[in-house]
Amino acid sequence: MEEDIRQDMDEFQEYVIRKLQLKEQDADGYSPLVLAYMGDCVYELFIRTKVVNEGNMQVSKMHKKSARLVKASAQAQMVCAIMEMLTDAEKRVYKRGRNAKSVTMAKNASMMDYRMATGFEALIGYLYLSGQRERMVELICAGLEKMG
């Protein structure tokens, strides 16, 4: 079953690349804020997929459930929960994102949580763009489990 899903995802990814005529890119070449931009989207999609899969409910309730897991403080908690699992290379990507100078800040987050969340998003974006999707899912699932 898991192998079938992996094969389906690989085929889907190849299809998307072909249809959108995407150029091959090296994930190391992106700025940390670009990685965080992509990671924010990918992580939110992952969380929304999980929430929708829990069953039919009002969209406002789904939004509240999702928002609790995607807000900066939750992402900061997530990265703390998985830090010991990260490889040295993954820690470097996280730190690049965390230390990146952003012109904006989340309205309801401390500066520390916001920077940690940006580092987490950069890591997720890096793993996604470098094709390490299994590792990305492994880290997110481990973080969710540790956070309860």
Side-chain angles (χ1 to χ4, degrees), residues 49-60:
T49 301
K50 183 170 176 39
V51 169
V52 167
N53 186 255
E54 290 174 3
N56 223 357
M57 65 181 87
Q58 294 174 331
V59 173
S60 62

Side-chain angles (χ1 to χ4, degrees), residues 58-122:
Q58 294 174 331
V59 173
S60 62
K61 288 182 181 178
M62 284 188 219
H63 175 72
K64 286 177 185 171
K65 285 184 99 167
S66 296
R68 279 196 305 269
L69 292 169
V70 299
K71 64 184 179 179
S73 60
Q75 290 180 5
Q77 232 186 321
M78 171 82 70
V79 78
C80 288
I82 63 170
M83 189 58 73
E84 75 276 356
M85 295 177 64
L86 300 183
T87 65
D88 289 342
E90 291 167 346
K91 286 178 184 174
R92 280 192 296 277
V93 172
Y94 162 73
K95 287 178 183 178
R96 280 182 57 218
R98 182 196 64 197
N99 296 335
K101 301 294 182 225
S102 176
V103 293
T104 61
M105 191 178 109
K107 290 179 253 178
N108 300 312
S110 70
M111 179 62 82
M112 185 175 169
D113 280 353
Y114 184 72
R115 289 189 176 274
M116 290 174 72
T118 302
F120 173 72
E121 290 172 345

Side-chain angles (χ1 to χ4, degrees), residues 30-48:
Y30 290 111
S31 78
L33 293 178
V34 169
L35 295 174
Y37 173 77
M38 183 57 99
D40 175 57
C41 173
V42 171
Y43 180 66
E44 182 147 357
L45 179 61
F46 189 95
I47 294 302
R48 284 184 179 204

Side-chain angles (χ1 to χ4, degrees), residues 111-134:
M111 179 62 82
M112 185 175 169
D113 280 353
Y114 184 72
R115 289 189 176 274
M116 290 174 72
T118 302
F120 173 72
E121 290 172 345
L123 173 62
I124 297 303
Y126 176 81
L127 293 171
Y128 177 79
L129 290 171
S130 64
Q132 300 178 65
R133 291 174 185 88
E134 284 182 53

